[in-house]
Structure formats: C-alpha cells, structure tokens
Amino acid sequence: MVFMFTYHAAVSQHSTTKPTYVTLSGGHVAFGTGVAGGFGVGLEVSRNIIDKPSPFVAQLLVGGELFFESGVSAPVTQNPPLNGFFFKSFDHHNHALLWLKAAYYPFQQKIVRGLHLQIGPTLGYKQRTTEREAYLVSLGGGEFQRRSVLRYDNGAYAGYRISVGYELPVATKCTAGVRADFSNNTRGDINTLLGVKFGYRLN
C-alpha cells in the first residue's frame, strides 16, 4: 500500500509538471519597405499550459520575449553619384520591445512537430532618425559633399507581431530552428525578420 501511494504521487507530480523554455533568437530585420536593413536579437521565456496533447493541439505556450532591433541606411556623403543623391537617404532605426505571446504547436508527428505559429501584442520604444532634406556643398577642386538636415521620431508604441517557425531537437533539452516575423505598430512601422533560434527546456 505504501508502494502504491508513493508511485501514485510520483506519477501525479510528473503529469502536472509543464515544461518551461528559454529561447535565444537573432536575424536580419527589414524596416518598412526594406529601405533600411539591420539585425534583431531576442530572449524569450515561455511555458506550456496544456496538461495533455490533443488532436491539432500538441503544445500551447504562453510567455514573453524581449526584442531589440537596429538598422541603418546611409548614403554616400563624399562625391555622391547623382542617382544615389536623389534616390537614397539617411534612415536609422532603434527599437526595444516586449512581445507578450502565445505559441501554437498543432502537430504531434515527429517530422512536423516543431512547426508553430506565434502571435500577440507588443509594447515598445523606438528611436528613428531620417533625412528631412539634403544638399550638395562644393569643396573646390571638383569635390562635393552631401550635407543633411535630420528629423527625429522618438516615442513609445503598441502593436502586434506574428511569427511562423520550425524547430528540431539537436540535443537533450535543446532545439534549433528558424523563424519569419511580421510586425506592425501605432507609429506606422511595418517590419519583417528572418532569423534563427536556439531553445533550452528548463524542466
């Protein structure tokens, strides 16, 4: 009887333990229509909230991700070509955001088990510096220099982010995969990310 009680307690404790994951991601970010490109890096903590998988719901994770993005498009300033002067301008982005999200893993089959969709709201702060106007200054001797008047757009925002990803186990408790993100916010930013991710299961 003591054996049965001990065994039952162990099984119950195991069945109620939901895995928690830590994930590090990074990749290439395209800001807006791709005029400015850069990089992004994120750190995520999430936990599975379902007790038992069911058809088309293998896992449902909830959590948050801190994400940082930066990128710049810089024109030639010394003797710029004519087409570069008119069609390329200075554009610098910095974003820091918190993404509160749910991650849906629909499949239990081994090959497609790592396919998932993530969605949720974002809260962030951005710093953006753009070129309001530009002009050429003659330095003499056939030399020209581009000079600019800059415009600043800094402030907080709210928005949403959607990500599609795929991951595979690479070691005990470790996964590696890829992700593709789309994000939009109240300051009119529409950004995309293509990157890689590495995860670790804590329990």
Side-chain angles (χ1 to χ4, degrees):
M1 185 173 182
V2 173
F3 171 79
M4 291 178 62
F5 174 80
T6 304
Y7 177 78
H8 176 73
V11 171
S12 299
Q13 183 178 5
H14 177 75
S15 63
T16 57
T17 301
K18 300 181 178 68
T20 300
Y21 302 90
V22 176
T23 304
L24 179 66
S25 299
H28 177 267
V29 178
F31 296 93
T33 57
V35 175
F39 68 92
V41 61
L43 179 63
E44 171 192 342
V45 177
S46 58
R47 187 179 186 185
N48 186 23
I49 61 171
I50 62 172
D51 294 315
K52 185 179 179 181
S54 60
F56 302 108
V57 185
Q59 287 192 101
L60 183 61
L61 275 58
V62 295
E65 181 175 22
L66 284 173
F67 215 90
F68 302 93
E69 299 173 332
S70 183
V72 63
S73 172
V76 176
T77 58
Q78 199 71 24
N79 297 322
L82 189 61
N83 62 338
F85 179 79
F86 286 106
F87 297 107
K88 190 169 185 178
S89 61
F90 182 80
D91 193 0
H92 183 212
H93 296 254
N94 282 316
H95 289 248
L97 63 96
L98 173 63
W99 182 19
L100 304 175
K101 58 182 176 177
Y104 169 54
Y105 291 72
F107 305 116
Q108 300 182 51
Q109 293 83 356
K110 187 174 183 179
I111 297 178
V112 292
R113 184 182 301 168
L115 186 66
H116 58 277
L117 172 69
Q118 301 182 88
I119 188 169
T122 58
L123 296 171
Y125 186 87
K126 66 173 282 186
Q127 294 178 324
R128 185 181 183 187
T129 305
T130 56
E131 201 172 52
R132 189 171 66 184
E133 61 183 65
Y135 53 94
L136 283 177
V137 175
S138 175
L139 303 178
E143 297 289 315
F144 292 88
Q145 187 179 70
R146 179 192 184 110
R147 295 185 181 176
S148 305
V149 178
L150 300 179
R151 174 174 49 224
Y152 301 95
D153 179 18
N154 304 332
Y157 62 81
Y160 67 91
R161 194 177 188 109
I162 301 171
S163 177
V164 176
Y166 181 76
E167 57 198 26
L168 288 170
V170 293
T172 303
K173 296 187 175 183
C174 296
T175 60
V178 294
R179 62 186 285 179
D181 295 19
F182 172 87
S183 61
N184 191 9
N185 61 51
T186 53
R187 302 190 74 89
D189 298 309
I190 300 175
N191 304 330
T192 57
L193 174 137
L194 290 175
V196 296
K197 56 191 298 187
F198 303 94
Y200 180 77
R201 181 165 55 94
L202 296 179
N203 56 350

